[in-house]
Amino acid sequence: MPTPSKTTIHELAASVNQLHLLAFWGQLDAAGRHRLEDQLRSFDWNQIAACQQLAASRQSTTAKAPPLDLSGARTPPCHSLSSGDPAVIKAGREALAAGSVGAILVAGGQGTRLGFDGPKGTFPIGPVSRATLFELLFGSLKAVERRYGRWVPLAIMTSTATDAATREFLNQHQYCGLDPKQVLLFRQGTLPAVDAVNGQLLLDAPDHVAVAPDGHGGMLAALAAAGGLDWFASQGVETVVSFQVDNPLARPLDPEFIGRHRLTAATFSTQIVPKTDPTERVGVVVEQNGITRVVEYSDLPEILAAEQLADGQLRFHAGSIAIHAFDRSFLEQAAANTDSLPLHLAHKKVPFLDADGQLVEPASPNAFKFERFIFDLMPLAERVSVVEVSAAEGFAPLKNPSGAVSDSPETVHQAMVDYARRHLAAAGITVADGIDVELDAATILDDDDLRQFAAAGSLPGNRIDQPQVVRAGEHR
Ligand code: UTP
């Protein structure tokens, strides 16, 4: 392999005004020079210019976004995920039985807050089983397949941080029961961080520019580039749902969610959980001038976040839980237009090399990172359908480490146990006080499965006295 000549890479760096990235070129060996040159050549410099422009438009010291104008904005009408509407359920079941629903699992995040050494999907979260998030979520895909007789093609988005470990986990665990042909792994892209003061790119090693994952919105371009949209089309997928790896109660394939999407001829559907505390850090779905979109919690002024309607409900209460459904054709159109998703920036601490080549770990935010958000497709959709689910039934995110007051392994365990106890009770099964139970994701899809489990009569007195994972198949 010839060593890249300084002239060519010098010309490239000079043309984009980033010569400082070659400050340590003279000290790099051939492999290091290749690494740096490959990285610089892989960048989309037009996109980086857009990032730098956005950074320049923000005041570097406060990095505050301009206030949003939300005059006339309101919470859009929301349908219940448990409406019991027979037409809606039928439409959803038919779509699943026709094999026309595909799924994208968003699993590229770095899980910084959780502080777990590995992709979040490999975190053991089952309160009794200790099953990982991947096992639980893939288990529920198996349950859907068993019920409807068709598998759900699954595209899993990883990132540089999670890709290798995710592939290794899937291989070691035989894809958690999924058929490898049912699964497509694709990696989201990265975007360089820029210095908050001068907009320049930063080195975090002599041969490496500091980059960060491009946000869950990176899904659109990365999926298209990996051939994922064609892959869905080739399997007859018309509706694509997306969900996040850190919510074991997620119900992206609920027949009512899919059925509502189909029956309302929506191009974009989204699930929300009613927000009751104004300080909850979730984005809210709002409708303004006929356009529906998500406003991030950081963009919602405190006074508006706390505003109540006459009935005491928060004016902006539709908390987004990042479970969406799209028409595949809508995703195809959006992917064809590189400007579909705007860039967002965040003021963050990014380690960088100083002029002497020493790594500086900044004590306060020094740089901007850039991300795209998938919910920014919402305003482009012709029709948006908003579906409401209670947190107890559909949202228990794992974000924080053990001991945190919210979204921690303990709060997720409790939510899963409470969920199991409630549904067992509805099927006529009592669980003794203080006993942890868990529903096996792969064999118990819904209350129908639980009723059959109860009817099998293998539980003395229909009572559970010991911690247990409730599995349907064993009792049929
Ligand atoms: P979060 O924004 O909560 O990030 O992601 P995170 O990585 O889980 O945790 P922190 O913020 O570093 O502590 C929500 C979902 O979006 C995915 C995550 O994997 C998670 O499923 N995500 C986030 C990506 O796939 N890529 C990204 O660039 C960011």
Side-chain angles (χ1 to χ4, degrees):
M1 218 171 13
T3 305
S5 84
K6 170 139 188 190
T7 337
T8 39
I9 194 64
H10 186 278
E11 276 165 12
L12 170 69
S15 71
V16 290
N17 197 22
Q18 297 294 323
L19 267 177
H20 63 286
L21 299 177
L22 302 181
F24 306 104
W25 185 265
Q27 299 158 30
L28 295 177
D29 60 14
R33 289 182 178 187
H34 273 293
R35 262 194 302 277
L36 185 56
E37 173 158 13
D38 287 350
Q39 194 189 16
L40 294 181
R41 292 204 184 283
S42 73
F43 287 150
D44 174 343
W45 290 98
N46 289 330
Q47 181 156 239
I48 291 173
C51 292
Q52 290 173 313
Q53 225 172 3
L54 180 64
S57 71
R58 287 294 162 84
Q59 204 194 61
S60 60
T61 46
T62 62
K64 276 260 187 288
L68 274 187
D69 173 15
L70 284 170
S71 50
R74 60 173 194 136
T75 296
C78 306
H79 300 282
S80 165
L81 189 63
S82 314
S83 71
D85 184 328
V88 172
I89 296 171
K90 182 165 175 275
R93 287 182 176 163
E94 282 174 1
L96 289 161
S100 64
V101 183
I104 305 172
L105 175 64
V106 183
Q110 291 170 303
T112 353
R113 286 168 287 174
L114 183 63
F116 173 63
D117 188 20
K120 236 190 223 185
T122 64
F123 189 93
I125 195 66
V128 181
S129 66
R130 317 312 287 177
T132 59
L133 280 159
F134 279 145
E135 288 169 303
L136 296 174
L137 297 170
F138 299 160
S140 47
L141 256 73
K142 279 308 283 180
V144 169
E145 181 181 335
R146 179 180 51 80
R147 171 69 58 81
Y148 297 101
R150 298 290 296 262
W151 76 31
V152 176
L154 173 71
I156 305 174
M157 183 168 86
T158 63
S159 63
T160 328
T162 65
D163 191 71
T166 301
R167 287 174 194 271
E168 194 186 324
F169 177 90
L170 289 175
N171 285 327
Q172 273 173 1
H173 293 79
Q174 288 77 44
Y175 281 69
C176 307
L178 300 180
D179 187 320
K181 290 199 285 297
Q182 173 184 2
V183 179
L184 175 89
L185 280 126
F186 68 103
R187 208 166 63 172
Q188 72 178 105
T190 56
L191 284 169
V194 307
D195 185 299
V197 177
N198 60 23
Q200 299 284 51
L201 273 57
L202 300 162
L203 288 173
D204 56 10
D207 59 359
H208 192 260
V209 178
V211 293
D214 57 0
H216 47 67
M219 161 206 308
L220 185 62
L223 180 68
L229 289 168
D230 296 338
W231 181 72
F232 278 134
S234 71
Q235 301 193 58
V237 167
E238 297 296 338
T239 301
V240 181
V241 297
S242 73
F243 61 115
Q244 299 191 333
V245 76
D246 52 14
N247 176 15
L249 293 188
R251 290 163 61 188
L253 295 168
D254 189 293
E256 284 216 30
F257 185 51
I258 309 291
R260 185 74 65 184
H261 179 79
R262 292 284 180 103
L263 275 191
T264 53
T267 23
F268 191 133
S269 296
T270 194
Q271 291 188 19
I272 63 104
V273 160
K275 186 176 161 187
T276 48
D277 175 357
T279 62
E280 251 175 87
R281 294 160 71 106
V282 289
V284 286
V285 181
V286 307
E287 185 184 289
Q288 188 181 26
N289 304 324
I291 305 270
T292 307
R293 67 197 163 110
V294 172
V295 174
E296 281 184 87
Y297 69 83
S298 50
D299 288 343
L300 187 65
E302 264 175 50
I303 191 147
L304 286 181
E307 198 177 323
Q308 293 182 349
L309 302 171
D311 62 1
Q313 197 173 33
L314 292 174
R315 176 176 164 205
F316 298 113
H317 58 263
S320 169
I321 59 168
I323 298 176
H324 310 300
F326 319 91
D327 274 2
R328 180 180 47 78
S329 55
F330 172 67
L331 287 184
E332 281 166 355
Q333 283 157 24
N337 175 1
T338 45
D339 296 332
S340 293
L341 293 174
L343 288 161
H344 294 257
L345 86 184
H347 203 198
K348 297 276 184 184
K349 290 190 258 184
V350 176
F352 64 98
L353 292 191
D354 66 13
D356 301 326
Q358 297 299 315
L359 188 70
V360 180
E361 298 274 357
S364 56
N366 62 314
F368 289 117
K369 285 184 179 178
F370 300 89
E371 289 187 321
R372 298 183 200 275
F373 300 146
I374 198 66
F375 56 66
D376 280 329
L377 286 182
M378 212 181 274
L380 306 179
E382 218 170 289
R383 262 179 307 282
V384 177
S385 158
V386 184
V387 172
E388 177 177 326
V389 60
S390 66
E393 287 293 306
F395 188 51
L398 177 65
K399 301 283 183 194
N400 298 320
S402 181
V405 286
S406 62
D407 305 342
S408 69
E410 293 83 10
T411 63
V412 177
H413 285 170
Q414 198 55 51
M416 290 179 70
V417 170
D418 290 348
Y419 179 93
R421 294 179 76 98
R422 216 171 35 251
H423 286 268
L424 285 163
I429 296 169
T430 317
V431 181
D433 283 349
I435 295 298
D436 283 352
V437 277
E438 179 182 334
L439 303 184
D440 177 46
T443 58
I444 301 213
L445 179 62
D446 55 17
D447 290 343
D448 286 349
D449 281 334
L450 272 176
R451 272 191 288 272
Q452 292 198 24
F453 169 75
S458 46
L459 287 172
N462 259 358
R463 188 180 158 84
I464 293 178
D465 290 312
Q466 298 291 326
Q468 118 171 40
V469 180
V470 174
R471 288 194 175 83
E474 291 168 9
H475 297 269
R476 286 199 177 162

